[in-house]
Amino acid sequence: MHSRVLATLDYPDVLQQLAGYTVSARGKALALALKPVDTTGAVQELIDQTVDAANILRLQGGMPIAKTVDITPHIKRLEIGATLNGTELAQIGRVLAVAAAMKSFFADFAENAATPLRTLGDVVDQLTDLPAVTRALNRALDEDGTVLDTASSQLQGIRIAMRQTEGQVRSKLENYTRGKDSKYLTEPIITLRDDRYVIPVKAEAKNRFGGIVHDQSASGQTFYIEPQAVLELNNRLRQLQIDEKREIERILAELAEMIAPYSKQIAANANLLAELDLINAKARYAREIKATEPIVDADRHVDLIQARHPLIDPQKVVPNDIYLGKDFHTIVVTGPNTGGKTITLKTLGLLELMAQSGLFIPAQEESHIAIYDEILADIGDEQSIEQSLSTFSGHMKNIINILQVATKSSLVLFDELGAGTDPQEGASLAIAVLDYLGAMGPDVVATTHYPELKVYGYNTPQTINASMEFDITTLQPTYHLLIGVPGRSNAFDIAARLGLNEEIVDRAKQLLDGESQNLNEMIGDLENQRKAAETEYHELRRQLDEATTLHKQLNDAFEEFLQERASQLQKSQKKADELVSQAQDKADKIIADLRQAQLTGGTTAVKEDKLIAARTALKDLHSHTPSPSNNRILRREKKKQALKAGDDVQVASYGTTGVLLKKSDDTHWEVQMGILKMKVPQDELTKVKAPEDTEPKRHIVNVSNRGPAISPTLDLRGKRYEEAMHELDQYMDAALLANYPTVTIIHGKGTGAIRNGVQEYLKRHRQIKSFKYAPPEAGGDGATLVVFK
């Protein structure tokens, strides 16, 4: 992509925002140098990386990217055999430590996370872990590069001796600062001069302590003297300092020599960490601007749903649906100045650039992007004083370059095509340019004021008109893109509403070419028809939603009634059996007493056959569940509910209705549910009355709090992630209250965001015994079956 086009479409401004989310110097440099790629595989790989980073950000708060500096100069010095200082070696150690932490983090994530990684695992696998080198650097250096005592036993011994000698020197000097000789000092302190401990002596007493004068104050009143008593100790300390310096130099040289063979691996680690920093920044930037994963369309169809320009205030930006490449390849956009035409062009171009750079785009989920080899734009005033070019000449020079570069796989954006010259000639040139590109085949979006191009957009194949909506009531643009509706001039209406004399407006209309007037009237009628159709659509949609909700509630209420009735019958049966059992226990006791009396030789003999008859009669007091074959009402109900091919049935496990096709076996039926044919157990089927309206209905499952009945199935397809998670949470509570043993969550496949969110939610829920994807005939991994405890 040409750098001038990138600047025209505000791409560098997006990169500046992206760079603000990096944490390393190298990562920031990569962000600012990011360029779009133009192959489907490369774009998909970059998007997959961002998807992985977004999932890690959502589940773990992001990758453990630590702040590091660019170690490229250090590596170059290592490769030529140079010795690095402590700071440089510590910075290399920091890179190795972060690489090890990243490998450990991703290993834990892959083991524990419910969401598998798409591609980032492969990137992290390229990191080289050098534990021995890392340990050696950590043992020898602290974070700022200071060589530690643990670097070597010799260094540790030298520093112990230094501390002991320093203590002896300070002890002797404190005899002067605290004893009777302190009166000869300008102030009772111990200080350093030339790396040797001295005391500040008054000028008149400079010969009292002997030793060496190392310095004198500017006033000449103070001499910094090393007393004779500490000369030997200072000499010994100085020698130890020299030994320390030599040992540190030896240690640093040894460390540099140790890591030199791994310079390529360390450099590769630094580059990979910078790349991971950039990928993490993409995810953080996407969350900030509420961007979503774009779907790479293999057929090069653009379908941006509620697309927003990322650099405009979210509170002010007007989202627009932009689609291109399927039914038409050229869009001619007309509308008033300041109506949003240029921003719409830039939004399309910029979102394509972002997607081809692996960035999420500020649009709704399921938005599709095409892959273009070039995105070419003529937007803005191309007037150049230095080149003595007029506005028209500047535009034409740019258009010529575009025509030379464009291919069938390009996207071309023209702002005010043909402007800056005679209207008739400009319109003719614009039509000729569009014809030329139409024969070549790229996708083209052009804005214009010329009415001739409205006719061109209507009559030319693969071309469609569009406009920016204008509210004639408020005399303000709405910034909404209307594809399929050409823009019309509002000059007369605006002038009349602003108070221009009616006679002048009428005269102007008379002077207007009749064909242009008819065109404006036709466009006005189209706009009115569109608004009326839109209003009617929303009203019908509202009525359909209400009717669907009511139908669902009635079905749920009927199911609840059947369940409650069965439950009450079971409770009554159980209560009756308990009463009879109590009576039988008492009777058994009486009989046992009678038999005992007989055995003991009572006066009255009790015959055994009478005892058996009494026991049998008592057992017959038990209430038995009437069998359908012995109960006329149940027999009639069973006959009414008998299933046969062609019957409409309610499928309990899916919360929807279907039509019986044929009986698969003794316990299963083949059922047609919408476009699906499924094998369903007979005990999950309930015969329902066939609907009078033969028009196909779309069954929508809505979890509602208006009543106690809920469906055993929840459909989350078509919802945004946050809305779906909220609805899932409410539904699970309701299902638990309803004592459902199992429920089905339909989340679809799509991008996998809602499916992964459902799986993660279920994993954390304490009342869930198990969950798994539905069998292939029931939706496969587009639905999840949940079993409660």
Side-chain angles (χ1 to χ4, degrees):
M1 306 292 176
H2 197 281
S3 58
R4 189 194 62 79
V5 174
L6 298 180
T8 298
L9 296 175
D10 304 321
Y11 182 73
D13 295 332
V14 170
L15 297 187
Q16 283 288 348
Q17 291 188 347
L18 174 65
Y21 293 92
T22 59
V23 297
S24 66
R26 181 70 176 145
K28 181 176 182 180
L30 287 181
L32 294 175
L34 186 63
K35 291 289 188 293
V37 295
D38 58 4
T39 61
T40 301
V43 172
Q44 188 61 62
E45 182 178 3
L46 292 176
I47 291 175
D48 287 344
Q49 291 175 355
T50 307
V51 170
D52 286 344
N55 286 331
I56 292 173
L57 181 63
R58 177 173 55 85
L59 298 174
Q60 299 289 336
M63 299 182 227
I65 298 287
K67 186 174 183 180
T68 57
V69 300
D70 187 0
I71 63 170
T72 304
H74 311 345
I75 299 299
K76 290 181 178 178
R77 292 182 59 205
L78 272 179
E79 291 175 344
I80 62 175
T83 299
L84 304 183
N85 60 37
T87 301
E88 293 168 335
L89 287 169
Q91 290 169 350
I92 290 177
R94 180 69 168 161
V95 169
L96 290 174
V98 174
M102 290 292 287
K103 287 183 74 69
S104 176
F105 172 83
F106 274 88
D108 291 342
F109 185 86
E111 182 177 352
N112 300 318
T115 303
L117 295 175
R118 295 186 185 180
T119 61
L120 269 191
D122 297 334
V123 176
V124 175
D125 287 343
Q126 300 175 43
L127 289 171
T128 303
D129 192 7
L130 301 173
V133 175
T134 304
R135 284 195 299 270
L137 290 172
N138 290 338
R139 185 174 59 249
L141 304 168
D142 67 5
E143 291 187 357
D144 64 2
T146 301
V147 180
L148 301 172
D149 291 357
T150 53
S152 73
S153 58
Q154 185 175 353
L155 179 62
Q156 187 175 29
I158 291 172
R159 287 181 171 171
I160 291 173
M162 286 175 62
R163 287 191 287 271
Q164 292 174 347
T165 304
E166 285 177 350
Q168 295 172 7
V169 171
R170 297 185 71 88
S171 178
K172 283 185 174 295
L173 291 179
E174 284 174 355
N175 291 334
Y176 299 114
T177 60
R178 295 179 181 177
K180 60 183 179 178
D181 291 328
S182 61
K183 61 185 178 182
Y184 301 109
L185 306 180
T186 55
E187 53 182 328
I189 62 170
I190 301 171
T191 186
L192 285 170
R193 288 294 185 274
D194 300 328
D195 292 329
R196 298 176 77 88
Y197 287 98
V198 297
I199 52 177
V201 181
K202 295 178 180 179
E204 60 270 20
K206 68 178 181 177
N207 296 321
R208 180 173 179 80
F209 304 102
I212 301 172
V213 177
H214 284 277
D215 199 1
Q216 182 181 7
S217 66
S219 65
Q221 297 302 310
T222 302
F223 287 82
Y224 294 94
I225 296 175
E226 180 184 359
Q228 184 68 36
V230 297
L231 280 176
E232 183 60 31
L233 288 173
N234 268 336
N235 287 339
R236 189 189 307 168
L237 181 60
R238 182 60 181 156
Q239 184 59 49
L240 289 170
Q241 290 171 343
I242 294 171
D243 293 343
E244 179 194 34
K245 182 179 180 182
R246 289 176 179 171
E247 179 63 11
I248 288 175
E249 290 174 350
R250 185 194 69 78
I251 291 170
L252 294 178
E254 188 176 276
L255 291 173
E257 184 179 356
M258 176 188 65
I259 66 177
Y262 305 104
S263 59
K264 293 188 182 301
Q265 292 95 318
I266 295 171
N269 277 357
N271 291 334
L272 287 170
L273 289 177
E275 184 179 346
L276 290 170
D277 186 15
L278 172 60
I279 295 170
N280 192 56
K282 289 179 179 179
R284 294 176 60 197
Y285 181 54
R287 182 173 65 177
E288 178 64 24
I289 65 173
K290 295 180 174 57
T292 63
E293 175 192 358
I295 297 175
V296 178
D297 197 300
D299 296 322
R300 214 185 76 189
H301 297 162
V302 176
D303 187 7
L304 301 178
I305 307 170
Q306 295 295 283
R308 312 180 310 274
H309 196 288
L311 302 178
I312 299 178
D313 185 346
Q315 303 300 323
K316 299 179 180 178
V317 67
V318 177
N320 272 306
D321 294 339
I322 306 174
Y323 43 96
L324 176 66
K326 182 178 182 180
D327 299 321
F328 47 84
H329 289 280
T330 301
I331 301 177
V332 178
V333 186
T334 52
N337 287 328
T338 70
K341 298 191 302 296
T342 302
I343 288 297
T344 302
L345 282 184
K346 286 189 172 185
T347 300
L348 170 60
L350 182 56
L351 266 57
E352 279 288 338
L353 291 174
M354 291 174 65
Q356 291 185 216
S357 301
L359 292 165
F360 283 8
I361 58 174
Q364 286 189 6
E365 292 179 347
E366 304 297 326
S367 290
H368 289 234
I369 56 105
I371 305 301
Y372 295 111
D373 59 357
E374 289 283 354
I375 297 179
L376 307 165
D378 176 48
I379 298 175
D381 191 351
E382 299 295 332
Q383 186 172 2
S384 172
I385 297 176
E386 293 82 0
Q387 299 180 14
S388 300
L389 297 175
S390 67
T391 298
F392 176 75
S393 300
H395 279 294
M396 286 311 302
K397 182 178 180 182
N398 197 20
I399 290 171
I400 291 170
N401 293 333
I402 289 174
L403 297 180
Q404 292 173 345
V405 174
T407 69
K408 182 179 180 180
S409 301
S410 300
L411 172 64
V412 182
L413 306 173
F414 290 124
D415 190 24
E416 301 298 345
L417 181 59
T421 186
D422 177 78
Q424 289 185 340
E425 294 180 352
S428 299
L429 277 172
I431 292 173
V433 168
L434 293 178
D435 278 340
Y436 179 83
L437 290 173
M440 186 185 301
D443 289 342
V444 181
V445 181
T447 70
T448 181
H449 280 98
Y450 296 138
E452 292 87 347
L453 266 70
K454 300 175 188 177
V455 179
Y456 174 85
Y458 181 78
N459 292 326
T460 306
Q462 296 293 306
T463 304
I464 194 170
N465 278 305
S467 61
M468 304 306 298
E469 188 180 45
F470 187 86
D471 191 338
I472 192 62
T473 304
T474 62
L475 303 182
Q476 294 292 329
T478 66
Y479 306 107
H480 283 117
L481 177 67
L482 305 175
I483 295 180
V485 179
R488 70 186 182 98
S489 173
N490 297 291
F492 294 154
D493 294 331
I494 294 173
R497 289 186 61 83
L498 291 176
L500 185 63
N501 189 291
E502 186 177 345
E503 293 182 3
I504 298 176
V505 174
D506 292 340
R507 176 58 178 161
K509 290 180 179 180
Q510 294 173 3
L511 294 174
L512 183 67
D513 177 74
E515 186 175 342
S516 299
Q517 179 69 13
N518 291 337
L519 178 61
N520 278 334
E521 292 176 356
M522 178 194 71
I523 294 172
D525 290 341
L526 285 174
E527 288 184 353
N528 292 333
Q529 293 174 17
R530 179 193 64 80
K531 291 180 180 178
E534 185 176 354
T535 301
E536 183 178 0
Y537 167 78
H538 287 303
E539 176 61 22
L540 290 174
R541 184 69 191 180
R542 183 189 64 79
Q543 294 177 5
L544 175 61
D545 290 344
E546 290 180 354
T548 303
T549 300
L550 179 59
H551 177 73
K552 178 65 175 61
Q553 290 173 345
L554 290 173
N555 277 341
D556 291 344
F558 179 68
E559 288 181 13
E560 184 186 16
F561 165 74
L562 293 178
Q563 293 174 2
E564 183 65 20
R565 183 179 66 177
S567 175
Q568 292 299 329
L569 286 173
Q570 186 176 6
K571 290 179 181 178
S572 300
Q573 181 72 50
K574 184 177 180 181
K575 183 65 175 176
D577 286 346
E578 288 176 354
L579 293 173
V580 173
S581 295
Q582 292 173 4
Q584 183 175 347
D585 290 342
K586 293 178 180 180
D588 285 344
K589 186 176 184 306
I590 294 172
I591 293 173
D593 292 342
L594 289 173
R595 176 172 294 177
Q596 184 64 31
Q598 184 184 35
L599 293 175
T600 55
T603 57
T604 303
V606 181
K607 294 183 178 181
E608 185 67 21
D609 60 335
K610 292 184 177 180
L611 292 175
I612 294 173
R615 178 186 292 273
T616 302
L618 288 171
K619 284 185 178 180
D620 288 342
L621 292 176
H622 270 293
S623 168
H624 296 286
T625 303
S627 105
S629 59
N630 297 326
N631 187 301
R632 287 184 300 170
I633 296 176
L634 292 176
R635 285 203 305 273
R636 185 168 61 249
E637 185 65 22
K638 181 178 179 181
K639 184 176 181 180
K640 186 187 299 183
Q641 291 295 328
L643 301 177
K644 62 180 183 298
D647 284 349
D648 292 86
V649 292
Q650 178 78 20
V651 185
S653 56
Y654 296 97
T656 186
T657 58
V659 179
L660 295 180
L661 299 179
K662 63 180 181 180
K663 194 166 186 178
S664 302
D665 52 41
D666 292 341
T667 59
H668 290 79
W669 280 85
E670 185 175 323
V671 184
Q672 179 79 44
M673 292 182 287
I675 62 172
L676 297 178
K677 290 183 180 179
M678 302 185 66
K679 186 177 179 181
V680 181
Q682 182 169 314
D683 57 4
E684 294 185 5
L685 302 175
T686 304
K687 186 175 180 180
V688 297
K689 185 177 179 181
E692 295 181 0
D693 187 2
T694 58
E695 287 294 321
K697 295 290 191 298
R698 180 184 177 192
H699 297 279
I700 303 174
V701 177
N702 287 324
V703 178
S704 172
N705 292 328
R706 298 181 188 176
I710 65 166
S711 170
T713 303
L714 173 64
D715 193 342
L716 299 177
R717 291 174 295 180
K719 301 184 182 296
R720 293 185 62 83
Y721 179 83
E722 293 79 5
E723 180 187 0
M725 292 302 101
H726 177 71
E727 188 166 324
L728 173 62
D729 189 49
Q730 289 188 331
Y731 176 79
M732 297 302 287
D733 290 342
L736 283 168
L737 290 174
N739 291 321
Y740 281 2
T742 63
V743 294
T744 302
I745 310 299
I746 302 175
H747 42 65
K749 300 178 181 178
T751 63
I754 294 180
R755 176 182 59 191
N756 295 336
V758 169
Q759 297 278 321
E760 189 65 26
Y761 174 89
L762 297 176
K763 185 177 180 182
R764 298 193 304 266
H765 205 292
R766 296 182 179 179
Q767 297 300 321
I768 291 175
K769 179 178 180 182
S770 64
F771 61 90
K772 62 181 180 179
Y773 288 133
E777 68 272 9
D781 58 359
T784 298
L785 303 179
V786 183
V787 179
F788 291 111
K789 291 182 178 179

